[in-house]
Amino acid sequence: MTGVVWPGDFFPGLMLELRRLRGDTVIRLATTWLKERVQAGDRETGHCYDLRVLTREDVPGSSRHGDSAVGLGPRHLVMRTVRRRGLLTLDGHALMDRSALPSAVYGRRPARSQAAALDSAVYVSHSSRNSVSLSRTSRP
């Protein structure tokens, strides 16, 4: 589909319903309204959304205008990596083996100082000795 202009309050993960009558060339698009507005990360929404998609797509360094980890500090790099590359649960939590985090962030084995910065960026309340867990509302 080309030429679609999305409303400003639409973001990744919104559940869309598309309808096309047989033989028609028009596709009608709608969202399902929630009974009450909810906070989804930094956004407030009244639309039904998929927590797993929101966890993957709504990360530090990502916007409608681009996607880059350049300039992000250790805490935001941890959040970005776990949410993008971690195992997703049905309720939108992302999990990652803590020992895999440094290589996942940098794509290679990082320098000791980089690994130490990442380790200190992981909140104790969101981690255990062996894994890191972040929800869509976690903010290191």
Side-chain angles (χ1 to χ4, degrees):
M1 292 174 53
T2 60
V4 175
V5 179
W6 299 102
D9 61 344
F10 274 41
F11 55 86
L14 287 181
M15 304 292 262
L16 304 176
E17 181 180 323
L18 292 100
R19 292 185 192 169
R20 183 179 70 94
L21 298 176
R22 188 171 294 180
D24 199 349
T25 59
V26 175
I27 298 174
R28 299 188 194 302
L29 181 135
T31 62
T32 303
W33 288 97
L34 297 172
K35 291 180 181 179
E36 295 181 25
R37 297 186 72 77
V38 295
Q39 192 74 25
D42 293 336
R43 305 168 190 194
E44 185 178 292
T45 184
H47 305 281
C48 185
Y49 58 95
D50 185 326
L51 294 169
R52 294 167 297 177
V53 172
L54 188 59
T55 295
R56 284 275 195 250
E57 297 299 322
D58 194 26
V59 297
S62 181
S63 72
R64 290 180 184 227
H65 309 292
D67 184 54
S68 174
V70 173
L72 295 178
R75 289 182 178 172
H76 285 120
L77 287 172
V78 167
M79 181 181 282
R80 178 183 173 88
T81 302
V82 173
R83 288 176 67 176
R84 280 276 170 90
R85 299 190 60 191
L87 174 69
L88 289 178
T89 64
L90 293 176
D91 66 353
H93 282 77
L95 309 167
M96 179 175 272
D97 182 329
R98 194 167 181 164
S99 67
L101 182 63
S103 295
V105 169
Y106 293 106
R108 58 177 164 65
R109 187 178 181 129
R112 284 186 185 167
S113 60
Q114 290 173 314
L118 291 178
D119 195 47
S120 67
V122 176
Y123 273 178
V124 174
S125 63
H126 289 101
S127 66
S128 71
R129 194 166 172 239
N130 300 320
S131 66
V132 179
S133 169
L134 296 173
S135 72
R136 62 183 163 53
T137 57
S138 296
R139 291 190 191 146

